Amino acid sequence: DTGVSQNPRHKITKRGQNVTFRCDPISEHNRLYWYRQTLGQGPEFLTYFQNEAQLEKSRLLSDRFSAERPKGSFSTLEIQRTEQGDSAMYLCASSLATSPQGRTEAFFGQGTRLTVV
Amino acid sequence: AQTVTQSQPEMSVQEAETVTLSCTYDTSESDYYLFWYKQPPSRQMILVIRQEAYKQQNATENRFSVNFQKAAKSFSLKISDSQLGDAAMYFCAYRSYTGANSKLTFGKGITLSVRP
């Protein structure tokens, strides 16, 4: 197992363009999380999936953001009509939840750094 | 809502010395988890140590140990015998014990540098 994989590692885009990021979690993990990290800040929760169901979205996730996890495997995060304020590191994490308290820790990917110019 | 505060943006330690990183948090919950994560430059975040709030004993992992003060809502990380590879950003994080969502709430982080 190679851990959580995110692609691309870096993305530079012009304001107004759409971008899509991909996250491949650890294969047996049923939970997948997206976080956003801006310079000098800790990661902030965006959304999470249990298998293919998106169960919670942060108010940080505006209508321009959409996330999917088809078939409960990889996930994509799309940002439409990008703005300069979207520039950040987007982190993906996965974990295994077998019961409300039976959870493994979250394992993080290396992130996708987005720069909107 | 829970909040996590790391008030020291940067710290420096001499190789082989000991350093303590501070963290405070605020919550109305009685059961929860606290974590310290390490984020080396351009590398993924990895878990350093974890503490369950219901445990009175402080967690230890080799050179890493915590001082968990539940009443004071304080959770500091002590790194003993500091090594050059310990240089990184360190984040304190909180997670609820119950509830379907096991999302993490992070502090702003602290940049630790290690002097050879």
Side-chain angles (χ1 to χ4, degrees):
Chain A
D1 190 353
T2 56
V4 179
S5 176
Q6 291 188 247
N7 288 288
R9 293 287 310 282
H10 302 274
K11 178 71 176 179
I12 300 175
T13 191
K14 291 184 178 179
R15 189 176 53 186
Q17 297 294 304
N18 299 343
V19 294
T20 299
F21 310 140
R22 176 177 171 128
C23 172
D24 287 273
I26 293 173
S27 57
E28 66 268 24
H29 284 184
N30 54 0
R31 289 195 172 177
L32 187 147
Y33 300 82
W34 286 99
Y35 291 84
R36 181 171 68 188
Q37 185 180 16
T38 53
L39 200 60
Q41 302 293 319
E44 295 175 294
F45 169 77
L46 292 179
T47 188
Y48 99 102
F49 293 83
Q50 170 113 355
N51 300 312
E52 68 275 9
Q54 188 174 17
L55 297 185
E56 185 174 340
K57 292 193 291 185
S58 163
R59 58 182 171 79
L60 295 175
L61 214 64
S62 75
D63 291 344
R64 297 183 297 104
F65 288 70
S66 63
E68 294 182 341
R69 192 184 182 197
K71 302 179 182 178
S73 56
F74 69 92
S75 175
T76 57
L77 178 67
E78 180 183 17
I79 309 174
Q80 296 181 326
R81 305 181 303 281
T82 52
E83 302 173 356
Q84 286 188 321
D86 297 331
S87 295
M89 175 77 83
Y90 290 84
L91 297 172
C92 177
S94 70
S95 68
L96 176 65
T98 55
S99 67
Q101 281 75 42
R103 302 167 181 153
T104 63
E105 304 314 324
F107 290 82
F108 283 81
Q110 290 183 282
T112 294
R113 182 169 296 283
L114 173 66
T115 303
V116 181
V117 297
Chain B
Q2 296 80 29
T3 59
V4 177
T5 302
Q6 294 179 255
S7 56
Q8 308 156 303
E10 296 178 355
M11 285 200 75
S12 180
V13 63
Q14 189 76 35
E15 194 176 6
E17 296 296 309
T18 296
V19 64
T20 298
L21 311 183
S22 301
C23 173
T24 59
Y25 60 95
D26 191 27
T27 183
S28 58
E29 300 175 331
S30 58
D31 290 324
Y32 47 87
Y33 296 97
L34 294 166
F35 305 86
W36 279 97
Y37 278 87
K38 172 185 177 181
Q39 188 177 40
S42 302
R43 297 183 63 185
Q44 67 255 59
M45 198 169 308
I46 57 173
L47 178 65
V48 174
I49 198 164
R50 146 186 163 161
Q51 174 79 44
E52 290 90 338
Y54 61 85
K55 290 186 177 179
Q56 292 186 335
Q57 187 173 6
N58 289 324
T60 62
E61 286 288 342
N62 301 313
R63 298 183 296 109
F64 299 88
S65 61
V66 299
N67 182 5
F68 173 50
Q69 302 290 328
K70 191 173 184 179
K73 295 181 181 173
S74 170
F75 182 62
S76 61
L77 174 70
K78 186 171 81 172
I79 306 174
S80 304
D81 186 26
S82 298
Q83 300 175 0
L84 295 178
D86 294 333
M89 277 205 77
Y90 286 81
F91 293 95
C92 179
Y94 174 104
R95 189 180 86 194
S96 294
Y97 184 73
T98 57
N101 187 348
S102 37
K103 68 182 179 185
L104 294 161
T105 300
F106 288 89
K108 287 187 176 182
I110 178 170
T111 300
L112 177 68
S113 58
V114 181
R115 305 185 302 275

